[in-house]
């Protein structure tokens, strides 16, 4: 899978692509990336990429010409183009899975007050927001999305690890422990030391449901509406509900 990132500050995503699991995925040719400096496509000697907005208002807007030329350089018309924007649809795990099935993606990292609407109309397929807040850096939000997507590409991370993560089946992840068995007077739950796989499975399911019920009850509602809860899970949730009366 290949990520094309159009940015005014390529040094920000560059550090991400050259670190940790991503760096290993690149070395193994599972992931490829292309960092495009938008300023390289500006017309004037100062490499200007922003100007004031028509109609007035605070802040500057990214100019359409340099950005359009940068998009043409990566053949954006034949690829899925994503503009990371607080006014886009909210990013989630389901969308991450959808994007991970693409062979190539193009990301536009906005700055200032954003980008000219004509670029959105001409090139952008998806406007995506990572949450209900505003960042000064489109690069930061872009990295969040890429991080969630690339790890779903086959071979990057083991399938077993992905299956047990939060949101993989609509529930939050269960608590996990490692050595030592006792830390600051706190002990690892006995069931995890028992070697009894069925009891461990039940304990993990219970903990996942317990945390989701407490922290994200909206996910429980969504799973019920979609019929995504097993009879075993429903029974446990009813216990939580009865206990909260």
């Amino acid at each position: 899978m290949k990520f094309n990132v159009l940015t005014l500050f390529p040094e920000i995503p560059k550090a991400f692509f050259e670190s940790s699991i991503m760096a290993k995925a690149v070395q193994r040719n599972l992931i490829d990336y292309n960092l495009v400096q938008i300023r390289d496509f500006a017309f004037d000697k100062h490499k200007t990429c922003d100007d004031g907005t028509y109609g007035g208002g605070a802040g500057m807007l990214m100019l359409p010409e340099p950005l359009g030329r940068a998009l043409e350089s990566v053949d954006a018309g034949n690829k899925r183009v994503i503009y990371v924007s607080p006014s886009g649809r909210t990013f989630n795990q389901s969308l991450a899975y959808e994007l991970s099935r693409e062979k190539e993606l193009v990301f536009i990292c906005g700055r200032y007050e954003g980008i000219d609407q004509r670029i959105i109309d001409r090139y952008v397929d998806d406007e995506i927001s990572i949450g209900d807040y505003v960042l000064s850096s489109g690069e930061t939000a872009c990295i969040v999305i890429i991080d969630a997507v690339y790890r779903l590409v086959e071979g990057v991370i083991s399938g077993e690890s992905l299956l047990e993560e939060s949101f993989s089946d609509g529930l939050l992840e269960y608590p996990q422990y490692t050595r030592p068995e006792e830390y600051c007077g706190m002990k690892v739950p006995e069931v995890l030391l028992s070697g009894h796989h069925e009891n461990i499975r039940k304990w993990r399911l219970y903990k996942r449901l317990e945390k989701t019920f407490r922290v994200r009850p909206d996910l429980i509602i969504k799973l019920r509406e979609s019929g995504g809860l097993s009879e075993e899970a429903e029974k446990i949730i009813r216990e939580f509900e009865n206990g909260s009366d």
Side-chain angles (χ1 to χ4, degrees), residues 162-231:
L162 295 176
L163 287 174
E164 295 184 348
E165 291 182 329
S166 294
F167 305 111
S168 60
D169 58 2
L171 298 173
L172 302 183
E173 192 171 10
Y174 51 78
Q176 301 200 55
Y177 302 83
T178 187
R179 295 181 294 176
E181 290 183 16
E182 183 173 340
Y183 169 72
C184 293
M186 298 177 287
K187 296 182 178 181
V188 175
E190 286 293 332
V191 65
L192 299 179
L193 306 174
S194 68
H196 194 298
H197 298 300
E198 178 60 13
N199 287 346
I200 292 173
R201 183 197 67 79
K202 289 180 178 179
W203 180 86
R204 286 175 169 172
L205 175 61
Y206 182 93
K207 287 297 184 179
R208 296 188 75 196
L209 290 165
E210 181 183 50
K211 185 171 186 178
T212 308
F213 182 81
R214 174 171 52 86
V215 179
R216 292 291 305 275
D218 58 301
L219 296 177
I220 298 292
I221 293 171
K222 188 178 295 186
L223 282 169
R224 276 179 161 168
E225 290 176 346
S226 66
L229 288 174
S230 66
E231 185 176 334

Side-chain angles (χ1 to χ4, degrees), residues 117-134:
Q117 181 63 39
R118 290 166 293 185
I119 289 292
I120 298 174
D121 294 341
R122 181 177 177 85
Y123 294 101
V124 172
D125 298 299
D126 301 276
E127 285 190 72
I128 299 176
S129 167
I130 62 169
D132 296 337
Y133 47 87
V134 179

Side-chain angles (χ1 to χ4, degrees), residues 36-210:
V36 179
Q37 169 58 270
I38 299 169
R39 292 192 189 281
D40 290 344
F41 298 89
F43 294 103
D44 65 327
K45 65 179 181 179
H46 300 294
K47 300 295 182 180
T48 304
C49 286
D50 65 292
D51 204 343
T53 59
Y54 282 117
M60 308 290 277
L61 205 65
M62 291 179 68
L63 292 168
E65 292 99 334
L67 186 49
R69 294 173 69 193
L71 285 161
E72 291 295 338
S73 76
V74 296
D75 193 25
N78 293 310
K79 299 177 178 67
R80 189 165 179 174
V81 179
I82 296 168
Y83 172 44
V84 186
S85 163
S87 62
R89 60 170 168 155
T90 304
F91 186 65
N92 56 28
Q93 191 68 9
S94 176
L95 183 51
Y97 275 108
E98 178 186 326
L99 295 178
S100 72
R101 293 193 289 268
E102 298 284 345
K103 290 185 177 180
E104 193 166 351
L105 293 171
V106 178
F107 285 86
I108 301 173
C109 298
R111 281 274 170 167
Y112 318 118
E113 292 300 308
I115 66 177
D116 191 291
Q117 181 63 39
R118 290 166 293 185
I119 289 292
I120 298 174
D121 294 341
R122 181 177 177 85
Y123 294 101
V124 172
D125 298 299
D126 301 276
E127 285 190 72
I128 299 176
S129 167
I130 62 169
D132 296 337
Y133 47 87
V134 179
L135 300 172
S136 60
S137 167
E139 289 78 13
T140 305
C142 173
I143 289 171
V144 169
I145 296 174
I146 293 175
D147 195 0
V149 171
Y150 92 96
R151 58 198 310 282
L152 299 175
V153 174
E154 186 176 355
V156 173
I157 293 178
S158 72
E160 182 180 359
S161 295
L162 295 176
L163 287 174
E164 295 184 348
E165 291 182 329
S166 294
F167 305 111
S168 60
D169 58 2
L171 298 173
L172 302 183
E173 192 171 10
Y174 51 78
Q176 301 200 55
Y177 302 83
T178 187
R179 295 181 294 176
E181 290 183 16
E182 183 173 340
Y183 169 72
C184 293
M186 298 177 287
K187 296 182 178 181
V188 175
E190 286 293 332
V191 65
L192 299 179
L193 306 174
S194 68
H196 194 298
H197 298 300
E198 178 60 13
N199 287 346
I200 292 173
R201 183 197 67 79
K202 289 180 178 179
W203 180 86
R204 286 175 169 172
L205 175 61
Y206 182 93
K207 287 297 184 179
R208 296 188 75 196
L209 290 165
E210 181 183 50

